[in-house]
Amino acid sequence: MAEVKILYFAGLREALGCPGERLALPAGVDTVGALRTHLAARGERWAALDAGRNVCAAVNQRMAAADTPLDGADEVAFFPPVTGG
C-alpha cells in the first residue's frame, strides 16, 4: 500500500496539534485534493483542511494544485498562504 509523508505548517500545525504524519493512501485518494478531503473528513479540528479553506499545498517541495497526482512515495505539505511586503 502506498504511503505518503504529510507535513503541516504554521497555523495548521497549531490547529491540528501535530507537525505531520505518515499515511497509507486509501483507495481513491490519488490527488492532493482527494487527500485534503480525506483528512478533513476526520472531523473537528481537521476541518481546517476543508476545501473551502484557504490552504496551500506542495508535493515534494513544489507548489501543487488540487488535481496534482500522488504516487504514494510523496511528501505532501499543507500550509496557509504566505504574504509578504
Side-chain angles (χ1 to χ4, degrees):
M1 182 174 283
E3 184 178 87
V4 293
K5 178 179 181 181
I6 307 170
L7 303 172
Y8 306 109
F9 290 98
L12 282 175
R13 177 184 285 195
E14 294 169 16
L16 300 175
C18 66
E21 63 183 295
R22 290 200 169 272
L23 179 74
L25 290 176
V29 177
D30 58 359
T31 65
V32 170
L35 177 59
R36 266 184 80 175
T37 298
H38 173 76
L39 294 170
R42 290 175 169 174
E44 306 245 350
R45 65 182 189 238
W46 295 95
L49 288 167
D50 277 340
R53 304 283 181 118
N54 197 3
V55 174
C56 297
V59 175
N60 301 323
Q61 300 181 4
R62 299 187 78 145
M63 293 300 292
D67 62 353
T68 300
L70 299 175
D71 72 9
D74 293 315
E75 176 186 88
V76 181
F78 291 109
F79 50 95
V82 179
T83 60

